[in-house]
Amino acid sequence: QVQLVESGGGLVQAGGSLRLSCVASGSTVGIVTMAWYRQAPGKQRELVARIFSVGSTNYADSVKGRFTISRDNANTVYLQMNSLKPGDTAVYYCYANRIGLQYWGQGTQVTVSS
């Protein structure tokens, strides 16, 4: 089992920045992919950014150039969010894939005011 705990959400004005953190615990050996997803009210959950164990990344088109995903060890992943827009308002979820099993955090709210 893998447990994921997010932190760093909050309320910020448009144009501001936030940094989300996600710490994985439990059986973390073998985690291949970690990612951030988000879900806005009335919308489906969508991929924001993903980082693989080899370090490669990919991003949703809507956040390219503004968000950066990084991973400082096998257990912690970050999402640096700059130039935030009201459209970025959502609950952000941390995700991990380990040996074909998927794990989710409880989510952290990000609200961007105009």
Side-chain angles (χ1 to χ4, degrees):
Q1 289 288 333
V2 176
Q3 294 79 43
L4 303 172
V5 178
E6 306 101 332
S7 61
L11 173 65
V12 64
Q13 288 188 332
S17 298
L18 283 174
R19 188 191 197 205
L20 304 183
S21 301
C22 173
V23 178
S25 61
S27 301
T28 59
V29 174
I31 290 178
V32 175
T33 304
M34 296 190 77
W36 289 95
Y37 285 73
R38 67 185 182 187
Q39 188 167 19
K43 295 187 177 181
Q44 289 189 332
R45 191 172 296 189
E46 62 175 0
L47 175 68
V48 176
R50 178 166 49 197
I51 186 166
F52 299 91
S53 58
V54 295
S56 57
T57 60
N58 52 38
Y59 296 89
D61 288 343
S62 60
V63 306
K64 282 181 181 177
R66 301 188 297 122
F67 291 11
T68 303
I69 190 170
S70 61
R71 189 172 172 182
D72 66 357
N73 55 43
N75 297 349
T76 306
V77 65
Y78 304 97
L79 186 68
Q80 178 66 44
M81 305 186 293
N82 299 328
S83 302
L84 282 160
K85 304 175 181 180
D88 295 318
T89 295
V91 178
Y92 284 69
Y93 296 91
C94 183
Y95 163 94
N97 183 300
R98 176 184 178 272
I99 315 177
L101 297 178
Q102 301 180 23
Y103 300 92
W104 295 92
Q106 81 287 352
T108 185
Q109 176 70 46
V110 172
T111 303
V112 184
S113 63
S114 57

